[in-house]
Amino acid sequence: MATAFTDTEKEFIEKKLKEVAYDCLLKYGVRKTTVDQIVQMTGIAKGSFYKFYDSKEILFFTVLEDYQKSIIDELINKIKREEDIGVDKFTELFYEIYQKVRQSFLMNLIKNNEFEYLRRKLPKDLIIRHHSLDDMLAEKIFSHIKIKDEINIDIVTASLRAIFISMVYIDEVGEKDFDEVLKLLLKGLAIQILEED
């Protein structure tokens, strides 16, 4: 009979699984990575994998959420260091974050339709929980930025998501001009939503 993992072992295995999943996302993507590869690289039995995750897709999605949380935490820390977030500072901070994401593994997943594939493989309740995470993170960000009273945060969040999605279409927009287009979109949003002193 297999022995149960201690809390320390669980924590170590969980961390290792996420590290391996991140490496696999970078090297192979979602579809080309197998559970067998993950367990071999992690050094655990295949049955042990399923004690942590029901599927490789859920593991990958957990890694993506962790990355999203780290990006948002970085943005919030930068916002907190500012006395006042005006149009130019808002544009600069969000532009920096978008550029960081643009250079990350996430953009390759999106461009290669791996993100869409991953989303289709996930349980609906996980997707719903993720949307509530998006809302919670947006509230966290906008608790530090003064926006106009009549502005709905959900609309702001959807606008930021729409601007983010435009990065998938860099070639169609024109790579030469894309950075300036991104700044213009962010600045336009900032002008519309920020409370002016």
Side-chain angles (χ1 to χ4, degrees), residues 143-185:
S143 69
H144 301 285
I145 297 175
K146 289 187 239 171
I147 63 171
K148 296 175 183 174
D149 290 336
E150 69 274 12
I151 300 295
N152 181 327
I153 290 179
D154 293 341
I155 300 300
V156 176
T157 304
S159 299
L160 287 168
R161 193 178 302 121
I163 294 170
F164 172 80
I165 290 170
S166 73
M167 292 195 299
V168 175
Y169 301 101
I170 291 172
D171 292 339
E172 288 83 349
V173 173
E175 190 166 350
K176 179 176 75 70
D177 298 322
F178 186 78
D179 286 341
E180 292 306 312
V181 169
L182 182 58
K183 287 178 188 172
L184 184 65
L185 290 170

Side-chain angles (χ1 to χ4, degrees), residues 91-146:
T91 304
E92 175 190 325
L93 290 173
F94 278 88
Y95 176 79
E96 285 175 12
I97 291 297
Y98 279 35
Q99 288 299 340
K100 185 171 187 161
V101 172
R102 185 176 165 193
Q103 304 305 319
S104 76
F105 69 97
L106 184 56
M107 289 310 294
N108 284 336
L109 291 180
I110 293 170
K111 284 181 181 177
N112 296 327
N113 294 320
E114 295 260 273
F115 189 78
E116 182 58 31
Y117 169 81
L118 179 62
R119 193 180 65 73
R120 285 194 320 264
K121 294 284 189 177
L122 295 171
K124 283 197 188 282
D125 63 319
L126 193 60
I127 300 292
I128 291 166
R129 186 186 59 75
H130 179 73
H131 288 306
S132 65
L133 172 68
D134 279 351
D135 295 341
M136 183 195 71
L137 293 174
E139 283 181 30
K140 208 169 164 186
I141 290 169
F142 289 106
S143 69
H144 301 285
I145 297 175
K146 289 187 239 171

